[in-house]
Amino acid sequence: MRKMLPFLVVPVLLLGPTVILLAVAVVTAIARPPSCGPSVTDIPESLTATMADGTTVQLDATQLGHAATIVRIGGTTEGVGRDGIVVALMAALTESRLRMLANTVYPDSADYPHDGVGSDHDSLGLFQMRPVSGWGSVAELMDPEYQARAFFGGADGPNHGSPRGLLDIPGWASLPRGAAAQAVEVSAYPDRYVAYEPVAEAILDALTQPAAAAGPSPAVAALHPTSRIVFPLPAGTWTRTSGYGYRIHPVYRTELLHAGTDYAAPAGTPVLALADGVVADVTHSARGGNVVVLDHVIDGEPVATAYAHLLDGSVLVHDGDPVSAGQQIAAVGSTGAATGPHLHLETHPGRFADPAVDFERWSRVHHLDNLTDAAPAACTTGDER
């Protein structure tokens, strides 16, 4: 983000009460958080779009995943709506091509998940926000969710209006979208943003097709519904170490949403499929390590479960494989951003691209009663994703 005028550095604090209210809304409904705007229904593997000048742009799944984060945060922030999300996508496309960029000015920025290294002053992340301008710490700005919330700003934004996010700009909705993006970015090149407006529109359309139109994947549609779910670790092998919600990440040392529940267990402990289903993805990421995602139809509703930090070489399934409740799919490990061996388990009503909910609350609704196989430990900041 190229700044035309220097800004005072101000302390940047995440709004604890706001975050707590959001988490409560999610886990109480056991569904998607209330939406003030578009919500993500799918993330394509790739997308081809055309800029205003006719240039073709190719976007991959990583870039579209970051776009989905922007859409999700914007869609659940009051006052943003579709126009505000398009403005944010235009800004992120222009500033970083929707990539999380580290910067050699801050060597520690490379310790966080990133898609490349930028060189624009001391700018970081999707929106090329500068710590020296008061946008946040290095750790905060290397978190895509934090950057999206900072860009949108407003009463619930982390910067309290300084620097100004979109909602802090008087009359932003009446401005041309490129001008609205410039009002937040304060770039030395204010005319760049409008070129990406049609690309931003195409991204938003691709990510937010109505669920009924998108429909379940053929593999999920072919699944037989089940109501039987089992705990994904053998009885007596595990201890609960961290629940769903915002907390200080033990590796990144910044406040992030812990979208799952952690169960510490010895390395090599079998990890079991929660329910009958099909393998949606076997992947690896810097944060989650080795991850298996399963699709299910439980009590008539599609749901995805994700199992993270799996032991290297332990995954026993492949994309498209059918699985049965209680079948071993991998083993407990500590790959990715973990401080010890444990299973990080996420539950996503719908597809994995949809927001996660609190597994423990969800499981009680669906009558999983053996959550007391081991004495639950108090929530900690260790052994967490």
Side-chain angles (χ1 to χ4, degrees):
M1 182 182 295
R2 298 173 179 85
K3 296 298 177 185
M4 300 172 67
L5 295 172
F7 285 81
L8 294 176
V9 178
V10 295
V12 181
L13 299 174
L14 291 173
L15 296 180
T18 299
V19 167
I20 292 169
L21 287 174
L22 174 59
V24 170
V26 171
V27 299
T28 301
I30 312 299
R32 294 183 185 180
S35 176
C36 306
S39 58
V40 176
T41 58
D42 197 9
I43 303 178
E45 288 296 317
S46 62
L47 179 68
T48 301
T50 304
M51 296 175 61
D53 64 0
T55 302
T56 298
V57 175
Q58 292 277 353
L59 300 167
D60 60 24
T62 298
Q63 293 165 297
L64 294 171
H66 293 318
T69 296
I70 294 170
V71 174
R72 176 168 57 83
I73 299 299
T76 54
T77 301
E78 186 175 358
V80 172
R82 181 182 178 90
D83 281 348
I85 291 172
V86 171
V87 170
L89 291 172
M90 291 166 61
L93 283 161
T94 304
E95 295 291 340
S96 70
R97 303 300 189 270
L98 277 170
R99 295 177 297 155
M100 278 300 296
L101 297 180
N103 193 311
T104 55
V105 173
Y106 299 105
D108 58 326
S109 65
D111 296 337
Y112 300 91
H114 61 284
D115 309 316
V117 179
S119 58
D120 181 7
H121 296 38
D122 64 334
S123 301
L124 295 169
L126 296 174
F127 295 99
Q128 290 290 273
M129 292 173 169
R130 302 179 65 184
V132 73
S133 297
W135 281 106
S137 67
V138 171
E140 287 167 334
L141 294 180
M142 291 306 295
D143 174 17
E145 291 199 5
Y146 177 92
Q147 284 228 348
R149 291 191 298 115
F151 182 90
F152 291 122
D156 294 340
N159 290 325
H160 307 282
S162 180
R164 297 190 304 175
L166 186 65
L167 295 176
D168 304 312
I169 308 297
W172 73 266
S174 64
L175 296 174
R177 288 169 171 173
Q182 166 64 9
V184 179
E185 295 287 341
V186 196
S187 170
Y189 304 95
D191 299 328
R192 300 178 300 158
Y193 302 103
V194 68
Y196 281 97
E197 186 167 359
V199 180
E201 289 276 11
I203 292 171
L204 186 55
D205 287 342
L207 296 179
T208 60
Q209 293 298 322
S217 68
V220 175
L223 287 175
H224 293 293
T226 183
S227 59
R228 176 176 177 251
I229 58 176
V230 301
F231 194 76
L233 293 169
T237 65
W238 55 272
T239 300
R240 178 189 183 278
T241 54
S242 182
Y244 176 100
Y246 280 86
R247 48 63 169 153
I248 302 298
H249 194 284
V251 175
Y252 302 135
R253 300 300 178 188
T254 189
E255 190 170 30
L256 298 173
L257 175 64
H258 186 233
T261 305
D262 288 345
Y263 300 98
T269 301
V271 173
L272 314 175
L274 184 81
D276 295 350
V278 64
V279 178
D281 195 19
V282 176
T283 187
H284 181 91
S285 70
R287 187 172 175 183
N290 299 318
V291 180
V292 171
V293 179
L294 304 181
D295 280 334
H296 319 270
V297 177
I298 298 174
D299 292 336
E301 298 293 334
V303 65
T305 54
Y307 311 75
H309 304 305
L310 303 172
L311 186 69
D312 281 335
S314 73
V315 177
L316 303 174
V317 294
H318 302 87
D319 290 4
D321 285 353
V323 296
S324 301
Q327 174 185 331
Q328 182 175 355
I329 58 174
V332 170
S334 58
T335 54
T339 57
H342 70 287
L343 172 66
H344 171 95
L345 176 66
E346 293 185 12
T347 311
H348 298 251
R351 298 188 183 185
F352 182 62
D354 295 312
V357 298
D358 185 335
F359 165 70
E360 292 170 318
R361 295 187 180 219
W362 178 91
S363 66
R364 285 193 287 271
V365 171
H366 293 275
H367 309 296
L368 177 61
D369 298 320
N370 63 334
L371 283 176
T372 55
D373 287 339
C379 287
T380 70
T381 56
D383 296 342
E384 299 174 3
R385 174 179 167 203

